[in-house]
Amino acid sequence: MRRDNQSSVSEFLLLGLPIQPEQQAMFYALFLAMYLTTLLGNLLIILLIRLDSHLHTPMYFFLSHLALTDICFSSVTAPKMLVNMLTQTQSISYAACISQVYFFLSFGGLDSFLLTSMAYDRYVAICHPLHYTTMMSQNLCSQLVVVSWVSSFSNSLVHTLLLAHLSFLRENTLNHFFCDLSALLKLSSSDTTVNELVILIVGSMFITVPFICILVSYGHIGASILRRPSIKGICKALSTCGSHLSVVSLYYGAIIGLYFLPSSNNSNDQDVIVSVLYTVVTPMLNPFIYSLRNQDMKGALGNILRRGRFSA
C-alpha cells in the first residue's frame, strides 16, 4: 500500500474521549477493567466450549468464534486508547492507523456474519428439529465460518487499499479515540468519491444483508411458534434464542445509531460515545449475556468448578 507522493502526513493525532483532565484517572481505571473483563469473559466462554463435550454443537461452535472475534475486535482499539490515556499522548503512526482501520472493519464485519450464522442455526433448530443434524452438519458449520472470515477480511482489504491511496495534507487531527474510516475520509485532501461509493455499496451490503437474513430467520421462528402456540414452545424458543437476540440488539443497535441515523455537525462527541458502546461495552457484555441467560453455559461452568474442587 503506497500513499500518494504528495502526502506529507506521517502520523495522526487522536483527540480521544470527551473527558475532563481531572476525570482521566477514573475513566482509565474503568476502561481498563472493562477491557480485562472482555478478555477474561470471552476466554472463559472459549475454554468452557472446548472442555465440555455437551457444548460441542453448531451453536456453541459459532459462539466460540464470536467470543474470539470479540476479543480481537476490542483489542484493535482499547489498548491504544488506554496507552494514550495513561501516557497523555495523542499520536498514532500512519501505518498503525491504516492497520487499525483494516482490523477494525475486518472483525466488525466478522461479528455480523457470525451472528447471521447463529440465527440460521436457531432457525433450523426450531423450525426443522428433525433434520437439524443433517442440515447443520460439521462440514456446513466449518464452511460458514471460513466464508465469514474470508469475506470480512476481503471486504476490509478493499476499503483499506482505497484509503491508503488518499493524500492527507491539510489536517491530521482526528476527533476520535481510534482511526475511524469515516473520520479519515473527512480529513483527506484527495477526492473520496470512490471510497464513499464503495462504502455505500459494499460496506452497507455487508451490514444490511446479514441483518435482513437475521430478521428473516427470526420471522420464520416466530411464525413456527404461532402455528403451534404453547407455553412450552415459547419457553424453549426464549431459552435458545434469548441470548442471541440480546447480542444482536446490542450490536446492530449501536451500528444503526452510529452510522445510519442522521447526525448534526456538532454531534462528534455523541458519535465517539456511541463508538465506545460499540467497540468496548458490547464485547464485554456478550459473555455475561450468554452465561447469565444460558442454562448450558451455567451447567458447563458448574461442571468445571466441581471437577476442579474434586481434583484439589
Side-chain angles (χ1 to χ4, degrees), residues 210-228:
F211 184 53
I212 291 172
C213 291
I214 292 173
L215 293 179
V216 170
S217 296
Y218 277 103
H220 283 290
I221 291 173
S224 176
I225 294 172
L226 292 176
R227 280 197 298 268
R228 299 183 297 272

Side-chain angles (χ1 to χ4, degrees), residues 119-190:
Y120 177 71
D121 172 76
R122 294 300 85 204
Y123 156 74
V124 175
I126 294 176
C127 299
H128 304 282
L130 299 179
H131 303 285
Y132 180 77
T133 304
T134 54
M135 292 180 67
M136 294 303 298
S137 63
Q138 184 176 358
N139 187 41
L140 175 62
C141 294
S142 300
Q143 288 176 357
L144 287 173
V145 168
V146 170
V147 169
S148 297
W149 280 83
V150 172
S151 299
S152 300
F153 278 78
S154 299
N155 172 58
S156 178
L157 183 61
V158 172
H159 294 295
T160 308
L161 289 175
L162 289 174
L163 175 64
H165 283 84
L166 298 180
S167 298
F168 297 89
L169 294 173
R170 295 188 298 268
E171 185 64 61
N172 71 332
T173 302
L174 290 168
N175 187 20
H176 223 302
F177 65 93
F178 71 97
C179 291
D180 181 61
L181 178 60
S182 59
L184 285 168
L185 293 182
K186 293 176 183 178
L187 290 184
S188 176
S189 54
S190 304

Side-chain angles (χ1 to χ4, degrees), residues 19-310:
I19 299 173
Q20 298 298 324
E22 60 272 14
Q23 298 176 324
Q24 285 280 348
M26 179 184 67
F27 277 97
Y28 173 81
L30 174 63
F31 287 123
L32 177 61
M34 292 171 67
Y35 178 59
L36 293 177
T37 302
T38 300
L39 295 181
L40 296 176
N42 284 290
L43 283 173
L44 178 61
I45 285 181
I46 296 172
L47 182 64
L48 290 177
I49 293 173
R50 293 281 295 175
L51 294 179
D52 195 314
S53 59
H54 295 95
L55 299 181
H56 293 174
T57 64
M59 176 183 175
Y60 294 106
F61 174 72
F62 293 130
L63 178 57
S64 64
H65 282 271
L66 182 67
L68 176 61
T69 302
D70 282 337
I71 291 174
C72 298
F73 184 55
S74 183
S75 297
V76 171
T77 58
K80 180 60 179 175
M81 177 186 70
L82 291 170
V83 169
N84 286 1
M85 292 177 69
L86 182 64
T87 61
Q88 297 297 308
T89 59
Q90 297 177 315
S91 64
I92 181 172
S93 68
Y94 176 87
C97 189
I98 297 296
S99 298
Q100 195 175 61
V101 170
Y102 174 71
F103 288 109
F104 178 82
L105 295 176
S106 297
F107 291 115
L110 184 55
D111 250 342
S112 179
F113 280 110
L114 290 174
L115 289 174
T116 306
S117 298
M118 295 172 75
Y120 177 71
D121 172 76
R122 294 300 85 204
Y123 156 74
V124 175
I126 294 176
C127 299
H128 304 282
L130 299 179
H131 303 285
Y132 180 77
T133 304
T134 54
M135 292 180 67
M136 294 303 298
S137 63
Q138 184 176 358
N139 187 41
L140 175 62
C141 294
S142 300
Q143 288 176 357
L144 287 173
V145 168
V146 170
V147 169
S148 297
W149 280 83
V150 172
S151 299
S152 300
F153 278 78
S154 299
N155 172 58
S156 178
L157 183 61
V158 172
H159 294 295
T160 308
L161 289 175
L162 289 174
L163 175 64
H165 283 84
L166 298 180
S167 298
F168 297 89
L169 294 173
R170 295 188 298 268
E171 185 64 61
N172 71 332
T173 302
L174 290 168
N175 187 20
H176 223 302
F177 65 93
F178 71 97
C179 291
D180 181 61
L181 178 60
S182 59
L184 285 168
L185 293 182
K186 293 176 183 178
L187 290 184
S188 176
S189 54
S190 304
D191 182 9
T192 60
T193 304
V194 176
N195 301 72
E196 293 168 357
L197 185 62
V198 171
I199 290 174
L200 180 64
I201 297 175
V202 181
S204 297
M205 182 180 68
F206 272 67
I207 296 297
T208 55
V209 170
F211 184 53
I212 291 172
C213 291
I214 292 173
L215 293 179
V216 170
S217 296
Y218 277 103
H220 283 290
I221 291 173
S224 176
I225 294 172
L226 292 176
R227 280 197 298 268
R228 299 183 297 272
S230 67
I231 300 297
K232 183 179 179 181
I234 293 174
C235 291
K236 180 182 178 182
L238 288 176
S239 65
T240 58
C241 301
S243 301
H244 181 257
L245 275 173
S246 300
V247 173
V248 168
S249 300
L250 280 172
Y251 177 80
Y252 282 101
I255 288 180
I256 291 171
L258 186 60
Y259 295 110
F260 289 92
L261 293 182
S263 59
S264 64
N265 293 329
N266 298 321
S267 63
N268 283 332
D269 288 350
Q270 180 181 343
D271 290 344
V272 172
I273 293 172
V274 175
S275 296
V276 172
L277 173 66
Y278 175 48
T279 61
V280 180
V281 178
T282 300
M284 179 195 69
L285 291 179
N286 288 355
F288 290 101
I289 292 173
Y290 276 102
S291 59
L292 295 177
R293 295 181 62 104
N294 192 295
Q295 295 300 323
D296 292 336
M297 295 297 293
K298 289 181 183 178
L301 180 59
N303 292 336
I304 297 299
L305 292 177
R306 280 192 293 271
R307 271 189 234 163
R309 194 178 307 152
F310 289 140

